[in-house]
Amino acid sequence: ETGVTQSPTHLIKTRGQQVTLRCSSQSGHNTVSWYQQALGQGPQFIFQYYREEENGRGNFPPRFSGLQFPNYSSELNVNALELDDSALYLCASSLSGTTTLAKNIQYFGAGTRLSVL
Amino acid sequence: AQKITQTQPGMFVQEKEAVTLDCTYDTSDPSYGLFWYKQPSSGEMIFLIYQGSYDQQNATEGRYSLNFQKARKSANLVISASQLGDSAMYFCAMREGRRGGADGLTFGKGTHLIIQP
């Protein structure tokens, strides 16, 4: 158990709808990262939130947006859903603000499986 | 260009044997971290082991060790005395040090390891 919890576990939406996924980070962690994992692929980095601001982003369009709250929990919002958005969405928490990458190990939740019909 | 390459889509190994999962990486950043994660069918990514680019010794964590060959840009995972519970997808990942690692993890496509009794 990593202490990272995601909700819901499964979700079915139709094309064009909007979706919000939620993540509670591990106690003591201040950074949340989101990843999209298509079937049979490795996860792809969507963005990272640190101190309630997005401080890193992968190659995803603006309809993918997020929030981080003062308690370090986070939301991923996807607007105008497309069929290709069907995937496992993984949230990872870590402790940033240290000087070495060694202390910034990301711990993942079990993910939200999104199906877009 | 792919930054992480895992050339073994699937592997079958007899229980109690040692297994090596291959990973090569590509980066021009002198500071980077290499990670291995295990993903069972439940979906959660489980952190296994970490190697920093400046670490002089190969990392070890229980039955897991990382064979780090910097000149060859290779970071193979070695699992000693494999167990049935080791059956899962295994992902190699890298985070570059620029921007404090805010660009997230880059994952390979994974290796599906099946341990046979």
PDB file of all heavy atoms in Angstrom, chain B residues 12-27:
ATOM      1  N   PHE B  12       9.208 -15.792 -20.206  1.00  0.00           N
ATOM      2  CA  PHE B  12       8.777 -16.909 -19.367  1.00  0.00           C
ATOM      3  C   PHE B  12       9.998 -17.418 -18.609  1.00  0.00           C
ATOM      4  O   PHE B  12      11.032 -17.693 -19.222  1.00  0.00           O
ATOM      5  CB  PHE B  12       8.203 -18.045 -20.217  1.00  0.00           C
ATOM      6  CG  PHE B  12       6.879 -17.724 -20.831  1.00  0.00           C
ATOM      7  CD1 PHE B  12       6.814 -17.082 -22.050  1.00  0.00           C
ATOM      8  CD2 PHE B  12       5.694 -18.067 -20.188  1.00  0.00           C
ATOM      9  CE1 PHE B  12       5.579 -16.783 -22.634  1.00  0.00           C
ATOM     10  CE2 PHE B  12       4.464 -17.776 -20.755  1.00  0.00           C
ATOM     11  CZ  PHE B  12       4.408 -17.140 -21.982  1.00  0.00           C
ATOM     12  N   VAL B  13       9.867 -17.551 -17.283  1.00  0.00           N
ATOM     13  CA  VAL B  13      10.989 -17.974 -16.452  1.00  0.00           C
ATOM     14  C   VAL B  13      10.491 -19.024 -15.459  1.00  0.00           C
ATOM     15  O   VAL B  13       9.368 -18.911 -14.941  1.00  0.00           O
ATOM     16  CB  VAL B  13      11.585 -16.760 -15.703  1.00  0.00           C
ATOM     17  CG1 VAL B  13      12.634 -17.193 -14.709  1.00  0.00           C
ATOM     18  CG2 VAL B  13      12.169 -15.763 -16.692  1.00  0.00           C
ATOM     19  N   GLN B  14      11.307 -20.015 -15.199  1.00  0.00           N
ATOM     20  CA  GLN B  14      10.966 -21.024 -14.199  1.00  0.00           C
ATOM     21  C   GLN B  14      11.130 -20.445 -12.797  1.00  0.00           C
ATOM     22  O   GLN B  14      12.073 -19.691 -12.518  1.00  0.00           O
ATOM     23  CB  GLN B  14      11.867 -22.239 -14.354  1.00  0.00           C
ATOM     24  CG  GLN B  14      11.585 -23.093 -15.579  1.00  0.00           C
ATOM     25  CD  GLN B  14      10.208 -23.726 -15.538  1.00  0.00           C
ATOM     26  OE1 GLN B  14       9.389 -23.479 -16.420  1.00  0.00           O
ATOM     27  NE2 GLN B  14       9.953 -24.520 -14.516  1.00  0.00           N
ATOM     28  N   GLU B  15      10.209 -20.839 -11.939  1.00  0.00           N
ATOM     29  CA  GLU B  15      10.271 -20.411 -10.539  1.00  0.00           C
ATOM     30  C   GLU B  15      11.641 -20.744  -9.957  1.00  0.00           C
ATOM     31  O   GLU B  15      12.239 -21.775 -10.272  1.00  0.00           O
ATOM     32  CB  GLU B  15       9.178 -21.139  -9.753  1.00  0.00           C
ATOM     33  CG  GLU B  15       8.948 -20.648  -8.348  1.00  0.00           C
ATOM     34  CD  GLU B  15       7.847 -21.427  -7.636  1.00  0.00           C
ATOM     35  OE1 GLU B  15       7.363 -22.420  -8.209  1.00  0.00           O
ATOM     36  OE2 GLU B  15       7.486 -21.037  -6.522  1.00  0.00           O
ATOM     37  N   LYS B  16      12.145 -19.840  -9.130  1.00  0.00           N
ATOM     38  CA  LYS B  16      13.422 -19.937  -8.411  1.00  0.00           C
ATOM     39  C   LYS B  16      14.633 -19.588  -9.285  1.00  0.00           C
ATOM     40  O   LYS B  16      15.746 -19.483  -8.746  1.00  0.00           O
ATOM     41  CB  LYS B  16      13.620 -21.314  -7.773  1.00  0.00           C
ATOM     42  CG  LYS B  16      12.544 -21.660  -6.748  1.00  0.00           C
ATOM     43  CD  LYS B  16      12.775 -23.014  -6.107  1.00  0.00           C
ATOM     44  CE  LYS B  16      11.635 -23.368  -5.169  1.00  0.00           C
ATOM     45  NZ  LYS B  16      11.789 -24.719  -4.569  1.00  0.00           N
ATOM     46  N   GLU B  17      14.436 -19.404 -10.565  1.00  0.00           N
ATOM     47  CA  GLU B  17      15.543 -18.968 -11.404  1.00  0.00           C
ATOM     48  C   GLU B  17      15.714 -17.451 -11.283  1.00  0.00           C
ATOM     49  O   GLU B  17      14.779 -16.726 -10.933  1.00  0.00           O
ATOM     50  CB  GLU B  17      15.291 -19.341 -12.862  1.00  0.00           C
ATOM     51  CG  GLU B  17      15.427 -20.819 -13.154  1.00  0.00           C
ATOM     52  CD  GLU B  17      15.296 -21.119 -14.625  1.00  0.00           C
ATOM     53  OE1 GLU B  17      14.949 -20.200 -15.401  1.00  0.00           O
ATOM     54  OE2 GLU B  17      15.531 -22.275 -15.013  1.00  0.00           O
ATOM     55  N   ALA B  18      16.912 -16.986 -11.617  1.00  0.00           N
ATOM     56  CA  ALA B  18      17.153 -15.547 -11.707  1.00  0.00           C
ATOM     57  C   ALA B  18      16.705 -15.053 -13.082  1.00  0.00           C
ATOM     58  O   ALA B  18      16.725 -15.809 -14.059  1.00  0.00           O
ATOM     59  CB  ALA B  18      18.619 -15.241 -11.488  1.00  0.00           C
ATOM     60  N   VAL B  19      16.275 -13.803 -13.142  1.00  0.00           N
ATOM     61  CA  VAL B  19      15.826 -13.243 -14.413  1.00  0.00           C
ATOM     62  C   VAL B  19      16.384 -11.833 -14.569  1.00  0.00           C
ATOM     63  O   VAL B  19      16.488 -11.084 -13.586  1.00  0.00           O
ATOM     64  CB  VAL B  19      14.278 -13.228 -14.497  1.00  0.00           C
ATOM     65  CG1 VAL B  19      13.671 -12.457 -13.328  1.00  0.00           C
ATOM     66  CG2 VAL B  19      13.795 -12.658 -15.807  1.00  0.00           C
ATOM     67  N   THR B  20      16.771 -11.494 -15.780  1.00  0.00           N
ATOM     68  CA  THR B  20      17.272 -10.158 -16.102  1.00  0.00           C
ATOM     69  C   THR B  20      16.341  -9.503 -17.104  1.00  0.00           C
ATOM     70  O   THR B  20      16.080 -10.054 -18.178  1.00  0.00           O
ATOM     71  CB  THR B  20      18.693 -10.223 -16.687  1.00  0.00           C
ATOM     72  OG1 THR B  20      19.577 -10.778 -15.705  1.00  0.00           O
ATOM     73  CG2 THR B  20      19.177  -8.825 -17.043  1.00  0.00           C
ATOM     74  N   LEU B  21      15.849  -8.331 -16.753  1.00  0.00           N
ATOM     75  CA  LEU B  21      14.998  -7.544 -17.644  1.00  0.00           C
ATOM     76  C   LEU B  21      15.819  -6.374 -18.176  1.00  0.00           C
ATOM     77  O   LEU B  21      16.403  -5.619 -17.405  1.00  0.00           O
ATOM     78  CB  LEU B  21      13.768  -7.024 -16.888  1.00  0.00           C
ATOM     79  CG  LEU B  21      12.917  -8.099 -16.191  1.00  0.00           C
ATOM     80  CD1 LEU B  21      11.723  -7.458 -15.497  1.00  0.00           C
ATOM     81  CD2 LEU B  21      12.463  -9.154 -17.177  1.00  0.00           C
ATOM     82  N   ASP B  22      15.843  -6.243 -19.496  1.00  0.00           N
ATOM     83  CA  ASP B  22      16.725  -5.270 -20.129  1.00  0.00           C
ATOM     84  C   ASP B  22      16.093  -3.887 -20.246  1.00  0.00           C
ATOM     85  O   ASP B  22      14.883  -3.747 -20.458  1.00  0.00           O
ATOM     86  CB  ASP B  22      17.102  -5.749 -21.537  1.00  0.00           C
ATOM     87  CG  ASP B  22      17.923  -7.024 -21.527  1.00  0.00           C
ATOM     88  OD1 ASP B  22      18.503  -7.341 -20.469  1.00  0.00           O
ATOM     89  OD2 ASP B  22      17.968  -7.701 -22.566  1.00  0.00           O
ATOM     90  N   CYS B  23      16.943  -2.875 -20.123  1.00  0.00           N
ATOM     91  CA  CYS B  23      16.510  -1.497 -20.290  1.00  0.00           C
ATOM     92  C   CYS B  23      17.695  -0.669 -20.778  1.00  0.00           C
ATOM     93  O   CYS B  23      18.766  -0.700 -20.166  1.00  0.00           O
ATOM     94  CB  CYS B  23      16.002  -0.926 -18.969  1.00  0.00           C
ATOM     95  SG  CYS B  23      15.629   0.853 -18.999  1.00  0.00           S
ATOM     96  N   THR B  24      17.512   0.037 -21.879  1.00  0.00           N
ATOM     97  CA  THR B  24      18.498   1.024 -22.300  1.00  0.00           C
ATOM     98  C   THR B  24      17.822   2.382 -22.351  1.00  0.00           C
ATOM     99  O   THR B  24      16.604   2.480 -22.535  1.00  0.00           O
ATOM    100  CB  THR B  24      19.112   0.689 -23.663  1.00  0.00           C
ATOM    101  OG1 THR B  24      18.059   0.588 -24.634  1.00  0.00           O
ATOM    102  CG2 THR B  24      19.877  -0.614 -23.622  1.00  0.00           C
ATOM    103  N   TYR B  25      18.613   3.413 -22.173  1.00  0.00           N
ATOM    104  CA  TYR B  25      18.043   4.759 -22.085  1.00  0.00           C
ATOM    105  C   TYR B  25      18.889   5.722 -22.903  1.00  0.00           C
ATOM    106  O   TYR B  25      20.026   5.418 -23.278  1.00  0.00           O
ATOM    107  CB  TYR B  25      17.949   5.204 -20.624  1.00  0.00           C
ATOM    108  CG  TYR B  25      19.286   5.259 -19.918  1.00  0.00           C
ATOM    109  CD1 TYR B  25      20.030   6.433 -19.888  1.00  0.00           C
ATOM    110  CD2 TYR B  25      19.802   4.139 -19.274  1.00  0.00           C
ATOM    111  CE1 TYR B  25      21.255   6.488 -19.253  1.00  0.00           C
ATOM    112  CE2 TYR B  25      21.024   4.183 -18.641  1.00  0.00           C
ATOM    113  CZ  TYR B  25      21.755   5.347 -18.627  1.00  0.00           C
ATOM    114  OH  TYR B  25      22.976   5.398 -18.002  1.00  0.00           O
ATOM    115  N   ASP B  26      18.324   6.877 -23.153  1.00  0.00           N
ATOM    116  CA  ASP B  26      19.018   7.895 -23.939  1.00  0.00           C
ATOM    117  C   ASP B  26      18.741   9.254 -23.321  1.00  0.00           C
ATOM    118  O   ASP B  26      17.578   9.655 -23.169  1.00  0.00           O
ATOM    119  CB  ASP B  26      18.541   7.862 -25.395  1.00  0.00           C
ATOM    120  CG  ASP B  26      19.314   8.837 -26.267  1.00  0.00           C
ATOM    121  OD1 ASP B  26      20.495   9.094 -25.961  1.00  0.00           O
ATOM    122  OD2 ASP B  26      18.734   9.332 -27.250  1.00  0.00           O
ATOM    123  N   THR B  27      19.796   9.962 -22.964  1.00  0.00           N
ATOM    124  CA  THR B  27      19.674  11.312 -22.438  1.00  0.00           C
ATOM    125  C   THR B  27      20.985  12.046 -22.592  1.00  0.00           C
ATOM    126  O   THR B  27      22.047  11.419 -22.599  1.00  0.00           O
ATOM    127  CB  THR B  27      19.253  11.298 -20.958  1.00  0.00           C
ATOM    128  OG1 THR B  27      19.135  12.642 -20.488  1.00  0.00           O
ATOM    129  CG2 THR B  27      20.263  10.569 -20.091  1.00  0.00           C
TER     130      THR B  27
END
